[in-house]
Amino acid sequence: MTKLLRRIAILLAIAFALPAQAAETVASPDGRIVVTVDTNGENRPFYRVEVDGKPLMTESRLGFLMADQDKLERRLTIVSATRASNDSTWEQPWGERRFVRDHHNEMTVRFVEDSASKRAFGVVFRVFDDGIGFRYLFDDASMGTTVRIADELTEFNFAADGKAWWIPAGEWNRYEYLYENTAVSGVGTALTPLTFRFEGGTHVALHEAALVDFAGMFVKRVRGTHFRATLAPSGSSAARAVRDTPFATPWRTIRISKDAAGLAMSDIDLNLNEPNKLGDTSWFKPHKYVGVWWGMHLGKESWESGPKHGATTANVKKYIDFAAKHGFEGVLVEGWNLGWDGEWFFNGELFSFTEAYPDYDFEELARYAKKKGVPIVGHHETSGDVANYEAQLEAALDLMAARGVKTIKTGYVTDAHNLRFRHADGSESREHQESQITTRHHLRVVTEAAKRKIAINPHEPIKDTGLRRTYPNWVSREGARGMEFNAWGVPPNGPSHVPTLVFTRMLSGPMDYTPGVLSLEGSGQPLQMTQARALAEYVLIYSPIQMAADLPEHYEQHKAAFQFIKDVPADWAQSLVLDAAVGEFVVIARQDRNSADWYLGGGTDETGRATSVKLDFLDRGKTYTAQIYRDGPNAHYQGPTRFDIAIEQRKVKKGDVLDLPMAPGGGFAVRLVAGK
Ligand code: NOJ
Ligand code: CA
């Protein structure tokens, strides 16, 4: 159609709300992924997706339920489709890779309703070689000044059954579940990222990008292999998302890859976020830290006051000395502030974020930390009492800034939908971890912290949607079962947990997993991994802040393996997933951002594997010293041979093959030191 004819058709369609014109399509730059947008015989808008000419997603509707308007999903006509393309590269201040390419084709489709009010909205699709993002534009006056969304009707309908890895949405323990591995047609209501593998090997992950001032998206299976978005509820309003126009919703993202590795290497969620809004954030430096932490989870120390109190001036000085001696750049101190006595889980309102226990001399410790060059990592556990935290937020952050703190770990330990908020009119409500109001809270903490050059690491957080690009001081978070479950979890994290996390939770962004428990013993239960695997987790699980979680005395007992934890960086120039099967095994290579050295990590489930790694990624002409930490011949994750580790050195060059057999529940960690 010529431009003029298209214009006339658009004008006619607006004037008479004519039936839909021809379907509109947009393809990925390599042409393999094609998105078609159309309206069906009932004038309901939908999209569908083909990959290599075969249907991946069939007719999947678009629309919303409104709290105070008619449902927005029927009597709709496409009135225009505009296209754009982008191919640019941007630099991350820190990350899994330094440079990120944003190469996509875009199509904005506008719809108008055949009704008296002629409501109109747009949907922008961006199609990359490794997936799709789309979001709704509420930018037309016909929608009114405020849009009150009761729920989202976006569908994700898959053409075939396959396998799925998922955790339930909205359940009491938030994200802290072991992953389910079921048929696609066996998923319930899932949190995202939600990962699928279809016959032929196509891997897909559903998630969202740039979740700002909107309710988080859960994905609910409706029937067969058909899913629908449903928004996290609000505790204070029938509408789950309320926004003044104009606004755009978060992006709904569909990563698509021919293998598991491609899912984990996709940057589409980051690309769909806004560039850095904070300006120069070079004050945040990726680092490793230790902390007064594992001792509490083992029950050897306590958060609360008393004879076992962990956060004492003397104990923290011991940790600062240990950190200074071994090159760590932070000491986390939990249980330093008033409020932990009694049942802290139920008493969030008792936490003071400015008053320390008498045996914790914060001022003196700040002086000592400065002298030793090891900042204290702050801790703000809220027990989910956001009202109490927000009332103290500025003073709490000011105190940390005055004490030289550069990173704060926050915590929201409470059941799902039990975060306590206080509103401007004094009323209170209980909210979900993904409610719209919770998105506002987290951004408030992050931006207030940024004013004080402090980075934030929330536990029991809201899900990550790539906002680290826009707010680079939002450096990590928990949001899955971490190391703490190996202390007291029933059951602890099994060998398949990490090879699953890499392709589920980790698709959303960095995780403060707190690896490195080389003593391989929790509170009365052994860790389900070999010691080489414990080291591998520093490469497998990305975070710009990595904890060495074990007790200093345990590291003294495992000095040879500890060397890898001291050496491994927390910031990368490149990251390559070399080989993987979701939930079974994963092998990752990463290049240090501050040297020419490379690191390798491998991990397997309960099955041992004879893994060989071809060193194709090394620089030609250079010789590297491979410092290898691998499972010994008798290693097995169950029993005393989980400590069987072989540590050896070899000279290698590009193209060489390293044989790195993994024991059941095992793995390997390799440092490749670049020579001349
Ligand atoms: C749960 C966090 O995940 C853990 O790391 C922390 O120690 C406790 N809450 C106490 O804040
Ligand atoms: Ca937790």
Side-chain angles (χ1 to χ4, degrees):
M1 222 191 290
T2 66
K3 255 192 173 167
L4 184 67
L5 279 177
R6 182 185 288 277
R7 183 93 197 116
I8 292 169
I10 290 169
L11 290 173
L12 285 173
I14 294 171
F16 304 109
L18 287 179
Q21 0 163 59
E24 300 290 349
T25 63
V26 56
S28 54
D30 66 4
R32 295 185 56 224
I33 303 174
V34 177
V35 178
T36 302
V37 182
D38 204 349
T39 52
N40 69 12
E42 295 174 314
N43 282 348
R44 292 175 136 124
F46 69 85
Y47 70 101
R48 62 166 189 268
V49 179
E50 268 118 47
V51 179
D52 293 331
K54 293 192 208 88
L56 175 73
M57 296 172 71
T58 55
E59 187 172 316
S60 301
R61 286 186 197 158
L62 299 163
F64 289 92
L65 291 179
M66 298 295 183
D68 58 354
Q69 295 181 13
D70 205 4
K71 169 190 196 193
L72 189 64
E73 195 228 11
R74 304 182 71 138
R75 298 185 288 171
L76 289 159
T77 303
I78 295 177
V79 288
S80 67
T82 48
R83 289 172 172 76
S85 304
N86 182 75
D87 189 2
S88 55
T89 296
W90 54 280
E91 185 177 357
Q92 300 207 76
W94 47 266
E96 302 98 312
R97 57 187 58 82
R98 182 164 175 194
F99 296 106
V100 176
R101 184 176 179 195
D102 178 356
H103 190 198
H104 67 258
N105 290 328
E106 179 181 290
M107 175 171 78
T108 304
V109 181
R110 303 205 66 90
F111 298 92
V112 70
E113 191 182 52
D114 180 16
S115 64
S117 52
K118 296 247 174 304
R119 290 184 301 175
F121 66 98
V123 186
V124 188
F125 286 83
R126 285 194 186 161
V127 189
F128 304 77
D129 289 346
D130 51 0
I132 301 162
F134 64 92
R135 67 173 174 186
Y136 296 85
L137 304 176
F138 287 100
D139 54 355
D140 193 273
S142 60
M143 291 303 306
T145 51
T146 304
V147 170
R148 294 184 178 79
I149 293 171
D151 207 358
E152 182 165 334
L153 299 175
T154 305
E155 293 179 346
F156 306 95
N157 296 336
F158 291 91
D161 210 340
K163 286 199 157 221
W165 290 266
W166 59 285
I167 50 174
E171 293 306 317
W172 71 272
N173 213 15
R174 311 157 309 251
Y175 289 85
E176 297 181 359
Y177 288 94
L178 288 171
Y179 278 77
E180 300 285 330
N181 177 203
T182 67
V184 173
S185 58
V187 175
T189 300
L191 282 163
T192 69
L194 160 60
T195 300
F196 301 127
R197 186 180 73 218
F198 296 100
E199 216 187 320
T202 302
H203 285 66
V204 171
L206 299 179
H207 191 44
E208 63 183 307
L211 172 56
V212 177
D213 203 4
F214 202 77
M217 179 182 76
F218 302 157
V219 175
K220 158 172 148 183
R221 194 173 63 85
V222 179
R223 66 187 166 85
T225 54
H226 290 193
F227 293 82
R228 167 162 87 69
T230 183
L231 298 177
S234 159
S236 40
S237 133
R240 296 179 182 198
V242 179
R243 287 286 296 271
D244 289 343
T245 54
F247 74 96
T249 67
W251 295 89
R252 279 63 190 94
T253 64
I254 308 166
R255 291 189 194 197
I256 303 170
S257 168
K258 61 177 182 359
D259 55 19
L263 273 193
M265 287 196 288
S266 167
D267 293 314
I268 69 172
D269 296 72
L270 279 177
N271 277 326
L272 291 167
N273 273 275
E274 303 276 318
N276 180 356
K277 283 190 177 161
L278 297 179
D280 178 17
T281 52
S282 57
W283 37 265
F284 169 70
K285 304 250 184 288
H287 62 268
K288 289 171 293 182
Y289 67 101
V290 293
V292 182
W293 182 78
W294 184 241
M296 284 119 157
H297 288 272
L298 294 181
K300 290 188 173 173
E301 293 177 324
S302 70
W303 285 277
E304 70 269 18
S305 60
K308 290 204 287 182
H309 191 213
T312 65
T313 309
N315 196 29
V316 174
K317 281 192 176 173
K318 196 182 93 186
Y319 274 81
I320 292 174
D321 291 345
F322 179 80
K325 180 170 166 203
H326 295 287
F328 292 93
E329 291 170 85
V331 172
L332 167 70
V333 187
E334 298 200 354
W336 66 274
N337 56 322
L338 298 187
W340 291 91
D341 295 291
E343 290 198 86
W344 59 269
F345 180 96
F346 296 106
N347 294 330
E349 78 280 7
L350 298 184
F351 279 121
S352 165
F353 299 103
T354 50
E355 295 162 283
Y357 278 117
D359 54 354
Y360 181 77
D361 187 342
F362 203 173
E363 217 175 328
E364 162 60 11
L365 282 167
R367 190 198 58 76
Y368 194 74
K370 190 164 183 206
K371 188 175 108 192
K372 295 277 179 161
V374 181
I376 305 264
V377 174
H379 187 232
H380 289 160
E381 174 57 61
T382 67
S383 286
D385 197 321
V386 174
N388 181 45
Y389 187 34
E390 288 201 334
Q392 302 180 52
L393 184 62
E394 272 125 47
L397 294 173
D398 285 345
L399 173 66
M400 288 294 179
R403 297 286 176 264
V405 166
K406 298 186 185 321
T407 309
I408 298 173
K409 169 178 172 179
T410 57
Y412 296 85
V413 173
T414 191
D415 289 353
H417 212 313
N418 200 41
L419 295 170
R420 190 168 74 100
F421 277 78
R422 191 172 304 118
H423 306 274
D425 64 1
S427 65
E428 288 184 3
S429 63
R430 297 287 172 164
E431 302 285 347
H432 203 281
Q433 279 62 16
E434 324 292 328
S435 296
Q436 180 178 17
I437 194 172
T438 314
T439 70
R440 294 192 194 133
H441 166 70
H442 283 287
L443 265 192
R444 182 175 164 205
V445 174
V446 164
T447 50
E448 280 300 325
K451 289 180 196 164
R452 296 157 178 88
K453 302 192 174 167
I454 290 175
I456 293 292
N457 165 30
H459 278 228
E460 301 75 42
I462 190 166
K463 68 168 132 176
D464 197 343
T465 58
L467 285 167
R468 63 180 149 137
R469 179 176 180 190
T470 317
Y471 304 96
N473 70 322
W474 198 344
V475 293
S476 197
R477 72 189 83 194
E478 192 188 38
R481 264 176 160 241
M483 181 61 76
E484 61 183 352
F485 278 81
N486 291 335
W488 42 255
V490 184
N493 299 333
S496 64
H497 186 56
V498 166
T500 307
L501 277 186
V502 172
F503 303 98
T504 51
R505 158 66 183 80
M506 298 311 299
L507 302 183
S508 72
M511 175 173 178
D512 187 37
Y513 187 83
T514 68
V517 175
L518 297 184
S519 51
L520 302 180
E521 195 66 42
S523 177
Q525 59 183 18
L527 266 58
Q528 306 285 296
M529 65 176 84
T530 65
Q531 200 172 62
R533 162 64 167 275
L535 299 178
E537 291 180 351
Y538 286 91
V539 182
L540 298 179
I541 298 174
Y542 170 65
S543 175
I545 50 168
Q546 286 282 28
M547 189 176 197
D550 213 341
L551 307 178
E553 55 267 37
H554 290 165
Y555 287 129
E556 301 291 356
Q557 290 159 14
H558 298 280
K559 277 195 178 121
F562 183 45
Q563 187 61 43
F564 183 81
I565 301 180
K566 290 168 62 168
D567 292 337
V568 68
D571 196 18
W572 307 101
Q574 295 183 61
S575 291
L576 306 170
V577 180
L578 299 179
D579 198 7
V582 182
E584 295 175 30
F585 75 98
V586 53
V587 178
I588 295 181
R590 301 191 197 266
Q591 187 182 26
D592 182 12
R593 177 124 173 203
N594 298 304
S595 76
D597 298 352
W598 281 82
Y599 290 77
L600 277 175
T604 179
D605 60 7
E606 296 78 3
T607 310
R609 277 161 225 274
T611 316
S612 300
V613 178
K614 189 142 201 268
L615 304 174
D616 275 345
F617 45 84
L618 298 179
D619 278 351
R620 190 175 302 284
K622 275 203 175 95
T623 303
Y624 295 77
T625 306
Q627 300 170 354
I628 302 169
Y629 302 75
R630 62 174 175 81
D631 290 327
N634 300 313
H636 192 289
Y637 74 99
Q638 284 170 325
T641 60
R642 64 192 190 286
F643 291 99
D644 185 12
I645 187 167
I647 302 176
E648 61 204 9
Q649 288 214 359
R650 271 183 60 182
K651 294 278 183 213
V652 294
K653 58 182 186 332
K654 182 181 172 79
D656 285 356
V657 175
L658 275 183
D659 289 327
L660 297 162
M662 297 194 274
F668 55 82
V670 181
R671 179 186 185 203
L672 293 149
V673 185
K676 293 280 169 293

